[in-house]
Amino acid sequence: STSRNQTQMALGGANLMMSRVKQGIIVGFFGTLAFSVLEAVNILFLKMFLPFPEIIARFIGMPGNLAVGWALHFAIGTLILGPLFVYLYPKLPSNTPIARGIIFAVACWVGLLLMVTMGGDRRLFSGSDGFGVFGFMLLCHMVFGGVMGNVLSRLQAREKRAASIIGGAPAH
């Protein structure tokens, strides 16, 4: 009986982790989608700033290959940053989910700038784009984080409601 309880606890822990990963992928996808809408407006209508997928493509040595840039942008936002946000969420400062998302996203933006300026092509942000690209990327990242925080709070509220209906405990 004791080993059976330990097995059930271990399985419950695995379900908890799976639940957080799944939540992370969901919030990352919606955050990346919101970011991408802003980027698409820039590419199609504004044409003011260097497109983020182009920045990614240049960083990996494939300038001009927007398809690779878009694919990596979605993969990183959905599969890496979303789950990382859900994992770090309880440790982030602030009491509101959207503010926590924005704080996380601004930290990601700082990390991105450090990575690109230290490891990428130094000319990437030179010329007429320069500071405008930094500002536009900051805005896009803040939207990304705000959407992730909002979606996560909705997912968690939904889980709490479902748990209270069936008498179980929420998975977070």
Side-chain angles (χ1 to χ4, degrees), residues 28-29 32-33 35-36 52-63 65-82 112 115 141 144:
F29 174 78
T32 304
L33 187 64
F35 187 117
S36 299
F52 189 63
E54 173 65 23
I55 293 170
I56 294 171
R58 284 186 187 183
F59 183 74
I60 63 167
M62 300 177 79
N65 194 337
L66 287 180
V68 169
W70 279 111
L72 285 174
H73 167 61
F74 262 93
I76 293 167
T78 302
L79 302 175
I80 297 172
L81 296 180
L112 169 74
M115 192 171 66
H141 276 80
F144 168 72

Side-chain angles (χ1 to χ4, degrees), residues 90-114:
K91 298 167 182 68
L92 293 169
S94 181
N95 292 330
T96 65
I98 293 174
R100 285 182 181 187
I102 291 171
I103 290 166
F104 174 81
V106 169
C108 291
W109 175 75
V110 169
L112 169 74
L113 293 183
L114 288 172

Side-chain angles (χ1 to χ4, degrees), residues 116-137:
V116 169
T117 55
M118 295 171 97
D121 184 0
R122 289 182 186 88
R123 297 170 293 169
L124 192 61
F125 298 115
S126 63
S128 62
D129 289 338
F131 185 74
V133 174
F134 291 127
F136 186 69
M137 284 184 0

Side-chain angles (χ1 to χ4, degrees), residues 23-47:
Q23 284 179 346
I25 290 171
I26 292 168
V27 302
F29 174 78
F30 281 107
T32 304
L33 187 64
F35 187 117
S36 299
V37 167
L38 293 175
E39 193 56 60
V41 168
N42 174 45
I43 292 170
L44 297 174
F45 303 111
L46 297 177
K47 300 177 188 204

